[in-house]
Amino acid sequence: MQFTKRNVSEAATSLGVSKSWLDKKRLDGGGPEYHKFGRRVLYDINDLQVWAARNKRCHTSEVSPGSSVNASDKSHPKSEASQ
């Protein structure tokens, strides 16, 4: 198995996003798959390419994969608090 690894800064540069964005996506989900070796976080370049391909869009109204946003969902924290 060939593992071409990138650290978080290198992965962020490859994707054109910030390091902090990748850090947040590891907590929230929705970012590229990663490996954890002790304290080190490493990304396989193949996983970065697969993630980027999955997130390709044709127009702005497309919902991203893994998104929990649902336009028909009527529940909202403010509306529940006011009841």
Side-chain angles (χ1 to χ4, degrees):
M1 173 174 104
Q2 174 99 22
F3 179 70
T4 309
K5 61 184 184 257
R6 300 283 184 264
N7 66 32
V8 179
S9 295
E10 294 167 336
T13 299
S14 295
L15 293 173
V17 300
S18 68
K19 179 187 172 300
S20 65
W21 186 87
L22 275 181
D23 294 340
K24 289 175 189 173
K25 288 301 173 182
R26 280 196 310 279
L27 293 172
D28 299 342
E33 292 182 356
Y34 62 94
H35 300 271
K36 186 93 178 200
F37 300 104
R39 291 184 177 186
R40 290 192 68 190
V41 173
L42 299 173
Y43 292 87
D44 187 321
I45 190 68
N46 296 322
D47 291 335
L48 296 175
Q49 292 169 344
V50 167
W51 181 84
R54 281 189 198 142
N55 286 281
K56 190 173 184 178
R57 302 286 178 267
C58 293
H59 53 83
T60 58
S61 64
E62 289 183 74
V63 178
S64 62
S67 175
S68 61
V69 176
N70 183 349
S72 64
D73 184 9
K74 303 293 184 200
S75 64
H76 189 276
K78 286 187 177 181
S79 64
E80 291 173 12
S82 62
Q83 293 177 350

Coordinates of all heavy atoms in Angstrom, one line a residue:
M1 N 0.8 -1.2 0.0 CA 0.0 0.0 0.0 C 0.9 1.2 0.0 O 1.7 1.4 0.9 CB -0.9 0.0 1.2 CG -1.7 1.3 1.4 SD -2.8 1.2 2.8 CE -2.0 2.1 4.0
Q2 N 0.7 2.1 -1.0 CA 1.5 3.3 -1.1 C 0.7 4.4 -0.3 O -0.5 4.6 -0.5 CB 1.6 3.8 -2.5 CG 2.2 5.1 -2.7 CD 3.7 5.0 -3.1 OE1 4.1 4.0 -3.5 NE2 4.4 6.1 -2.8
F3 N 1.3 5.0 0.7 CA 0.7 6.1 1.5 C 1.5 7.3 1.3 O 2.6 7.5 1.8 CB 0.7 5.6 3.0 CG 0.1 6.6 3.9 CD1 -1.3 6.9 3.8 CD2 0.8 7.3 4.8 CE1 -1.9 7.9 4.6 CE2 0.3 8.3 5.6 CZ -1.1 8.5 5.5
T4 N 1.0 8.2 0.5 CA 1.6 9.5 0.3 C 1.0 10.5 1.2 O -0.2 10.9 1.0 CB 1.4 10.0 -1.2 OG1 1.8 8.9 -2.0 CG2 2.2 11.2 -1.5
K5 N 1.7 10.8 2.3 CA 1.1 11.5 3.4 C 1.3 13.0 3.3 O 2.3 13.5 2.7 CB 1.5 11.0 4.7 CG 3.0 11.1 4.9 CD 3.5 10.5 6.2 CE 5.0 10.7 6.4 NZ 5.8 9.6 6.2
R6 N 0.4 13.8 3.9 CA 0.5 15.2 4.0 C 0.1 15.6 5.4 O -0.9 15.1 5.9 CB -0.4 15.9 3.0 CG -0.2 15.6 1.6 CD 1.0 16.4 1.0 NE 1.1 16.2 -0.4 CZ 1.9 15.3 -0.9 NH1 2.6 14.5 -0.2 NH2 2.1 15.2 -2.2
N7 N 0.9 16.5 6.0 CA 0.4 17.0 7.3 C -0.7 18.0 7.1 O -1.1 18.3 6.0 CB 1.6 17.6 8.1 CG 2.2 18.9 7.5 OD1 1.5 19.6 6.9 ND2 3.5 19.1 7.7
V8 N -1.3 18.5 8.2 CA -2.5 19.3 8.1 C -2.2 20.6 7.3 O -3.0 20.9 6.4 CB -3.0 19.7 9.5 CG1 -4.2 20.6 9.4 CG2 -3.3 18.5 10.3
S9 N -1.1 21.2 7.5 CA -0.8 22.5 6.7 C -0.6 22.2 5.2 O -1.1 22.9 4.4 CB 0.5 23.1 7.2 OG 0.3 23.5 8.6
E10 N 0.1 21.1 4.9 CA 0.3 20.7 3.5 C -1.1 20.3 2.9 O -1.3 20.7 1.7 CB 1.2 19.5 3.4 CG 2.6 19.9 3.8 CD 3.5 18.6 4.0 OE1 3.0 17.5 4.3 OE2 4.8 18.8 3.9
A11 N -1.9 19.6 3.6 CA -3.2 19.2 3.1 C -4.1 20.4 2.8 O -4.8 20.5 1.8 CB -3.9 18.2 4.1
A12 N -4.1 21.4 3.8 CA -4.8 22.6 3.6 C -4.4 23.4 2.4 O -5.2 23.8 1.6 CB -4.7 23.5 4.8
T13 N -3.1 23.5 2.2 CA -2.6 24.1 1.0 C -3.0 23.4 -0.3 O -3.4 24.0 -1.3 CB -1.0 24.2 1.0 OG1 -0.7 25.0 2.2 CG2 -0.4 24.9 -0.2
S14 N -2.9 22.1 -0.3 CA -3.3 21.3 -1.4 C -4.8 21.5 -1.8 O -5.2 21.6 -3.0 CB -3.2 19.8 -1.2 OG -1.8 19.5 -1.0
L15 N -5.7 21.7 -0.8 CA -7.1 21.9 -1.0 C -7.5 23.3 -1.2 O -8.6 23.6 -1.6 CB -7.9 21.3 0.1 CG -7.9 19.8 0.3 CD1 -8.5 19.4 1.6 CD2 -8.5 19.1 -0.9
G16 N -6.6 24.2 -0.9 CA -6.9 25.7 -1.0 C -7.8 26.2 0.2 O -8.6 27.1 0.0
V17 N -7.7 25.5 1.3 CA -8.4 25.9 2.5 C -7.4 26.2 3.6 O -6.3 26.0 3.5 CB -9.4 24.8 3.0 CG1 -10.4 24.5 1.9 CG2 -8.7 23.5 3.4
S18 N -7.9 26.8 4.7 CA -7.1 27.1 5.9 C -6.8 25.8 6.7 O -7.7 24.9 6.8 CB -7.6 28.2 6.7 OG -8.8 27.8 7.3
K19 N -5.8 25.9 7.5 CA -5.5 24.8 8.4 C -6.6 24.7 9.5 O -7.1 23.7 9.8 CB -4.1 25.0 9.1 CG -3.8 24.0 10.1 CD -2.5 24.4 10.9 CE -2.3 23.4 12.0 NZ -3.3 23.4 13.1
S20 N -7.1 25.9 9.9 CA -8.1 25.9 10.9 C -9.4 25.3 10.4 O -10.2 24.7 11.1 CB -8.4 27.3 11.5 OG -8.9 28.1 10.5
W21 N -9.7 25.5 9.1 CA -10.9 24.9 8.5 C -10.8 23.3 8.6 O -11.8 22.7 8.9 CB -11.1 25.3 7.1 CG -12.3 24.9 6.4 CD1 -13.5 25.5 6.5 CD2 -12.5 23.7 5.7 NE1 -14.5 24.8 5.8 CE2 -13.9 23.6 5.3 CE3 -11.7 22.6 5.3 CZ2 -14.4 22.6 4.6 CZ3 -12.3 21.6 4.6 CH2 -13.6 21.6 4.2
L22 N -9.6 22.8 8.2 CA -9.5 21.3 8.3 C -9.6 20.9 9.8 O -10.1 19.8 10.0 CB -8.1 20.9 7.8 CG -8.0 20.7 6.3 CD1 -6.6 20.3 5.9 CD2 -9.0 19.7 5.8
D23 N -9.0 21.6 10.7 CA -9.1 21.3 12.1 C -10.6 21.2 12.5 O -11.0 20.3 13.2 CB -8.4 22.3 13.0 CG -6.9 22.3 12.8 OD1 -6.3 21.3 12.3 OD2 -6.3 23.4 13.1
K24 N -11.4 22.2 12.1 CA -12.8 22.2 12.5 C -13.5 21.0 11.8 O -14.4 20.4 12.4 CB -13.4 23.5 12.0 CG -13.0 24.7 12.9 CD -13.6 26.0 12.3 CE -13.0 27.1 13.0 NZ -13.4 28.4 12.4
K25 N -13.2 20.7 10.6 CA -13.9 19.6 9.9 C -13.5 18.2 10.5 O -14.3 17.3 10.5 CB -13.5 19.6 8.4 CG -14.2 20.7 7.6 CD -15.7 20.6 7.8 CE -16.4 21.7 7.2 NZ -17.8 21.7 7.3
R26 N -12.4 18.1 11.2 CA -12.1 16.9 11.9 C -13.0 16.7 13.1 O -13.4 15.6 13.5 CB -10.6 16.8 12.3 CG -9.7 16.4 11.2 CD -8.3 16.0 11.7 NE -7.7 16.9 12.6 CZ -7.1 18.0 12.3 NH1 -6.9 18.4 11.1 NH2 -6.5 18.8 13.2
L27 N -13.4 17.8 13.7 CA -14.3 17.8 14.8 C -15.7 17.7 14.4 O -16.5 16.9 15.0 CB -14.2 19.1 15.7 CG -12.8 19.3 16.4 CD1 -12.8 20.7 17.0 CD2 -12.6 18.2 17.4
D28 N -16.2 18.4 13.4 CA -17.6 18.5 13.0 C -17.9 17.4 12.0 O -19.1 17.0 11.8 CB -17.9 19.8 12.3 CG -17.7 21.0 13.3 OD1 -17.6 20.8 14.5 OD2 -17.6 22.1 12.8
G29 N -16.9 16.9 11.2 CA -17.2 16.0 10.2 C -17.4 16.7 8.9 O -17.5 17.9 8.8
G30 N -17.4 16.0 7.8 CA -17.6 16.6 6.5 C -16.3 16.9 5.7 O -16.3 17.2 4.5
G31 N -15.2 16.7 6.4 CA -13.9 17.0 5.7 C -13.3 15.7 5.1 O -13.9 14.6 5.2
P32 N -12.1 15.8 4.6 CA -11.5 14.5 4.1 C -11.1 13.6 5.2 O -10.9 14.0 6.3 CB -10.2 15.1 3.4 CG -10.1 16.5 3.7 CD -11.3 16.9 4.4
E33 N -11.0 12.3 4.8 CA -10.6 11.3 5.8 C -9.2 11.5 6.1 O -8.4 12.1 5.4 CB -10.8 9.9 5.1 CG -12.2 9.5 4.9 CD -12.3 8.1 4.3 OE1 -11.3 7.4 4.1 OE2 -13.4 7.6 4.2
Y34 N -8.8 11.1 7.3 CA -7.4 11.4 7.8 C -7.0 10.2 8.7 O -7.8 9.3 9.1 CB -7.3 12.7 8.6 CG -8.2 12.7 9.9 CD1 -7.7 12.3 11.1 CD2 -9.5 13.0 9.8 CE1 -8.4 12.3 12.3 CE2 -10.3 13.0 11.0 CZ -9.7 12.7 12.2 OH -10.5 12.7 13.3
H35 N -5.7 10.2 8.9 CA -5.1 9.1 9.8 C -4.6 9.8 11.0 O -4.1 11.0 11.0 CB -3.9 8.4 9.1 CG -4.3 7.7 7.8 ND1 -4.8 6.4 7.8 CD2 -4.4 8.2 6.5 CE1 -5.1 6.1 6.6 NE2 -4.8 7.1 5.8
K36 N -4.6 9.1 12.1 CA -4.1 9.7 13.4 C -3.0 8.7 13.9 O -3.3 7.5 14.1 CB -5.2 9.8 14.4 CG -4.9 10.4 15.7 CD -5.2 11.9 15.6 CE -4.8 12.5 17.0 NZ -5.3 13.6 17.4
F37 N -1.8 9.2 14.0 CA -0.7 8.4 14.5 C -0.2 9.1 15.8 O 0.5 10.1 15.7 CB 0.4 8.3 13.5 CG 0.0 7.7 12.2 CD1 -0.3 8.4 11.1 CD2 -0.2 6.3 12.2 CE1 -0.7 7.8 9.9 CE2 -0.6 5.7 11.0 CZ -0.8 6.4 9.9
G38 N -0.6 8.6 16.9 CA -0.3 9.4 18.2 C -1.0 10.7 18.1 O -2.2 10.8 17.9
R39 N -0.2 11.8 18.2 CA -0.7 13.1 18.1 C -0.8 13.7 16.7 O -1.3 14.7 16.5 CB 0.1 14.1 19.0 CG -0.1 13.8 20.5 CD 0.7 14.9 21.3 NE 0.4 14.7 22.7 CZ 0.9 15.5 23.6 NH1 1.6 16.5 23.3 NH2 0.6 15.2 24.9
R40 N -0.1 13.0 15.8 CA 0.0 13.5 14.4 C -1.2 13.1 13.6 O -1.7 12.0 13.7 CB 1.2 12.8 13.8 CG 2.6 13.3 14.3 CD 3.7 12.9 13.5 NE 3.6 13.7 12.2 CZ 4.4 13.4 11.2 NH1 5.3 12.4 11.2 NH2 4.3 14.1 10.1
V41 N -1.6 14.1 12.9 CA -2.7 13.9 11.9 C -2.1 14.0 10.6 O -1.4 15.0 10.2 CB -3.8 15.0 12.1 CG1 -4.9 15.0 11.0 CG2 -4.4 14.9 13.5
L42 N -2.4 13.0 9.8 CA -1.9 12.9 8.4 C -3.0 12.6 7.4 O -3.9 11.9 7.7 CB -0.8 11.9 8.3 CG 0.4 12.1 9.1 CD1 1.4 10.9 9.1 CD2 1.2 13.3 8.8
Y43 N -2.9 13.2 6.3 CA -3.9 13.0 5.2 C -3.2 12.3 4.0 O -2.1 12.6 3.7 CB -4.4 14.3 4.7 CG -5.3 15.0 5.7 CD1 -4.8 15.9 6.6 CD2 -6.7 14.9 5.6 CE1 -5.6 16.6 7.5 CE2 -7.5 15.5 6.5 CZ -6.9 16.4 7.5 OH -7.7 17.0 8.4
D44 N -3.8 11.3 3.5 CA -3.3 10.6 2.3 C -3.8 11.4 1.1 O -4.9 11.9 1.0 CB -3.9 9.2 2.2 CG -3.4 8.4 1.1 OD1 -3.1 8.9 0.0 OD2 -3.2 7.1 1.3
I45 N -2.8 11.7 0.2 CA -3.1 12.5 -1.0 C -4.3 12.0 -1.8 O -5.1 12.7 -2.3 CB -1.9 12.8 -1.8 CG1 -2.1 13.8 -2.9 CG2 -1.4 11.5 -2.4 CD1 -2.3 15.2 -2.4
N46 N -4.4 10.7 -1.8 CA -5.5 10.0 -2.6 C -6.8 10.4 -1.9 O -7.8 10.6 -2.6 CB -5.3 8.5 -2.7 CG -4.1 8.2 -3.5 OD1 -3.8 8.8 -4.5 ND2 -3.4 7.2 -3.0
D47 N -6.9 10.4 -0.6 CA -8.1 10.7 0.1 C -8.5 12.2 -0.1 O -9.7 12.5 -0.2 CB -8.0 10.5 1.6 CG -7.9 9.0 2.0 OD1 -8.4 8.2 1.2 OD2 -7.3 8.7 3.0
L48 N -7.5 13.1 -0.2 CA -7.8 14.5 -0.5 C -8.4 14.6 -1.9 O -9.3 15.4 -2.1 CB -6.5 15.3 -0.4 CG -5.8 15.4 1.0 CD1 -4.5 16.1 0.9 CD2 -6.7 16.0 2.0
Q49 N -7.8 13.9 -2.8 CA -8.3 14.0 -4.2 C -9.8 13.4 -4.3 O -10.6 14.0 -5.0 CB -7.4 13.2 -5.1 CG -6.1 13.9 -5.3 CD -5.0 13.1 -6.0 OE1 -5.2 11.9 -6.2 NE2 -4.0 13.7 -6.5
V50 N -10.0 12.3 -3.6 CA -11.4 11.7 -3.6 C -12.4 12.7 -3.0 O -13.5 13.0 -3.5 CB -11.4 10.4 -2.9 CG1 -12.8 9.9 -2.6 CG2 -10.6 9.3 -3.7
W51 N -12.0 13.3 -1.8 CA -12.9 14.3 -1.1 C -13.2 15.5 -2.0 O -14.3 15.9 -2.1 CB -12.3 14.7 0.2 CG -13.1 15.7 0.9 CD1 -14.2 15.4 1.8 CD2 -13.0 17.1 0.9 NE1 -14.7 16.5 2.2 CE2 -14.1 17.6 1.7 CE3 -12.2 18.0 0.2 CZ2 -14.3 19.0 1.9 CZ3 -12.4 19.3 0.4 CH2 -13.4 19.8 1.2
A52 N -12.1 16.0 -2.7 CA -12.3 17.1 -3.6 C -13.2 16.8 -4.7 O -14.1 17.6 -5.1 CB -11.0 17.6 -4.1
A53 N -13.1 15.6 -5.3 CA -14.0 15.2 -6.4 C -15.4 15.1 -6.0 O -16.3 15.4 -6.7 CB -13.5 13.9 -7.0
R54 N -15.6 14.5 -4.7 CA -17.0 14.4 -4.2 C -17.7 15.7 -4.0 O -18.9 15.8 -3.9 CB -17.0 13.6 -2.9 CG -16.8 12.2 -3.1 CD -17.1 11.5 -1.7 NE -16.5 10.1 -1.7 CZ -15.9 9.6 -0.7 NH1 -15.7 10.2 0.4 NH2 -15.4 8.3 -0.9
N55 N -16.9 16.8 -3.7 CA -17.4 18.1 -3.4 C -17.4 19.0 -4.6 O -17.6 20.2 -4.4 CB -16.6 18.7 -2.2 CG -17.0 18.0 -0.9 OD1 -18.0 18.3 -0.3 ND2 -16.2 17.0 -0.5
K56 N -17.3 18.5 -5.8 CA -17.4 19.3 -7.0 C -18.8 19.7 -7.2 O -19.7 18.8 -7.0 CB -16.8 18.5 -8.1 CG -16.6 19.3 -9.4 CD -15.9 18.4 -10.4 CE -15.6 19.2 -11.6 NZ -14.9 18.4 -12.6
R57 N -19.1 20.9 -7.6 CA -20.5 21.4 -7.8 C -20.6 22.0 -9.2 O -19.7 22.5 -9.7 CB -20.9 22.4 -6.7 CG -20.8 21.9 -5.3 CD -21.9 21.0 -5.0 NE -21.8 20.5 -3.7 CZ -21.1 19.4 -3.4 NH1 -20.6 18.6 -4.3 NH2 -21.1 18.9 -2.1
C58 N -21.9 22.0 -9.6 CA -22.2 22.7 -10.9 C -22.9 24.1 -10.7 O -22.8 24.9 -11.5 CB -23.1 21.8 -11.7 SG -22.3 20.3 -12.3
H59 N -23.6 24.2 -9.5 CA -24.2 25.4 -9.2 C -24.4 25.6 -7.7 O -24.3 24.6 -7.0 CB -25.6 25.6 -9.9 CG -26.5 24.4 -9.7 ND1 -27.3 24.3 -8.6 CD2 -26.7 23.3 -10.5 CE1 -28.0 23.2 -8.7 NE2 -27.6 22.6 -9.8
T60 N -24.7 26.8 -7.2 CA -24.7 27.1 -5.8 C -25.8 26.5 -5.0 O -25.8 26.4 -3.8 CB -24.7 28.6 -5.6 OG1 -25.8 29.2 -6.2 CG2 -23.4 29.2 -6.1
S61 N -26.9 26.0 -5.7 CA -28.0 25.5 -5.0 C -27.9 24.0 -4.7 O -28.8 23.4 -4.0 CB -29.3 25.7 -5.7 OG -29.3 25.0 -7.0
E62 N -26.8 23.4 -5.1 CA -26.6 22.0 -4.8 C -26.2 21.9 -3.3 O -25.4 22.7 -2.8 CB -25.4 21.4 -5.6 CG -25.8 21.2 -7.1 CD -24.7 20.5 -7.8 OE1 -24.5 19.3 -7.6 OE2 -24.0 21.2 -8.6
V63 N -26.7 20.9 -2.6 CA -26.4 20.6 -1.2 C -25.2 19.7 -1.2 O -25.1 18.7 -1.9 CB -27.6 20.0 -0.5 CG1 -27.2 19.7 1.0 CG2 -28.8 20.9 -0.5
S64 N -24.2 20.1 -0.3 CA -23.0 19.3 -0.2 C -23.3 17.9 0.5 O -24.1 17.8 1.3 CB -21.9 20.0 0.5 OG -22.3 20.3 1.9
P65 N -22.5 16.9 0.1 CA -22.7 15.6 0.7 C -22.4 15.7 2.2 O -21.5 16.4 2.6 CB -21.7 14.7 0.0 CG -21.2 15.4 -1.2 CD -21.5 16.9 -0.9
G66 N -23.2 15.0 3.0 CA -23.0 15.0 4.4 C -23.6 16.2 5.1 O -23.5 16.4 6.3
S67 N -24.2 17.1 4.4 CA -24.8 18.3 4.9 C -26.1 18.0 5.7 O -26.9 17.2 5.2 CB -25.1 19.4 3.9 OG -25.8 20.5 4.4
S68 N -26.3 18.6 6.8 CA -27.5 18.3 7.6 C -28.6 19.3 7.3 O -29.6 19.4 7.9 CB -27.2 18.2 9.1 OG -26.7 19.4 9.5
V69 N -28.3 20.3 6.4 CA -29.3 21.3 6.1 C -30.4 20.7 5.2 O -30.1 20.1 4.2 CB -28.6 22.5 5.3 CG1 -29.6 23.5 4.9 CG2 -27.5 23.1 6.1
N70 N -31.6 20.9 5.7 CA -32.8 20.4 5.0 C -33.8 21.6 4.9 O -34.3 22.0 5.9 CB -33.4 19.2 5.7 CG -34.5 18.6 5.0 OD1 -35.0 19.2 4.0 ND2 -35.0 17.5 5.5
A71 N -34.0 22.1 3.7 CA -34.9 23.2 3.5 C -36.3 23.0 4.0 O -37.0 23.9 4.3 CB -34.9 23.6 2.0
S72 N -36.8 21.7 4.0 CA -38.1 21.4 4.4 C -38.2 21.2 5.9 O -39.3 21.0 6.4 CB -38.7 20.2 3.7 OG -37.9 19.1 4.0
D73 N -37.1 21.3 6.6 CA -37.1 21.1 8.1 C -37.6 22.3 8.7 O -37.0 23.4 8.6 CB -35.7 20.7 8.5 CG -35.6 20.4 10.0 OD1 -36.7 20.3 10.6 OD2 -34.5 20.3 10.6
K74 N -38.7 22.2 9.4 CA -39.4 23.4 10.0 C -38.8 23.7 11.4 O -39.1 24.7 12.0 CB -40.9 23.2 10.1 CG -41.5 23.0 8.7 CD -41.4 24.2 7.8 CE -42.1 23.9 6.5 NZ -41.7 24.8 5.5
S75 N -38.1 22.7 12.0 CA -37.6 22.9 13.4 C -36.4 23.9 13.4 O -35.6 23.8 12.5 CB -37.2 21.6 14.0 OG -36.2 21.0 13.3
H76 N -36.4 24.8 14.3 CA -35.4 25.8 14.5 C -35.2 26.1 15.9 O -36.2 26.2 16.6 CB -35.7 27.0 13.7 CG -34.6 28.0 13.6 ND1 -34.3 28.9 14.6 CD2 -33.6 28.1 12.6 CE1 -33.2 29.6 14.2 NE2 -32.8 29.1 13.0
P77 N -34.0 26.2 16.5 CA -33.9 26.4 17.9 C -34.6 27.6 18.4 O -35.2 27.6 19.5 CB -32.3 26.6 18.1 CG -31.7 25.9 16.9 CD -32.8 26.0 15.8
K78 N -34.7 28.7 17.7 CA -35.4 29.9 18.1 C -36.9 29.6 18.2 O -37.6 30.1 19.1 CB -35.1 31.1 17.2 CG -33.8 31.7 17.4 CD -33.6 32.9 16.7 CE -32.3 33.5 16.9 NZ -32.1 34.8 16.2
S79 N -37.5 28.9 17.2 CA -38.9 28.7 17.2 C -39.3 27.7 18.4 O -40.4 27.8 18.9 CB -39.3 28.1 15.9 OG -38.8 26.8 15.7
E80 N -38.4 26.8 18.7 CA -38.7 25.9 19.8 C -38.6 26.7 21.2 O -39.4 26.4 22.1 CB -37.7 24.7 19.9 CG -37.9 23.8 18.7 CD -36.8 22.7 18.7 OE1 -36.0 22.6 19.7 OE2 -36.7 22.0 17.7
A81 N -37.7 27.6 21.3 CA -37.6 28.4 22.5 C -38.7 29.3 22.8 O -39.1 29.6 23.9 CB -36.3 29.2 22.5
S82 N -39.4 29.8 21.7 CA -40.5 30.7 21.8 C -41.8 30.0 22.1 O -42.8 30.7 22.4 CB -40.6 31.6 20.6 OG -40.9 30.8 19.4
Q83 N -41.8 28.7 22.1 CA -43.1 28.0 22.3 C -43.4 27.8 23.7 O -42.7 27.7 24.6 CB -43.1 26.6 21.6 CG -43.0 26.8 20.1 CD -42.9 25.4 19.4 OE1 -42.7 24.4 20.1 NE2 -43.1 25.4 18.1

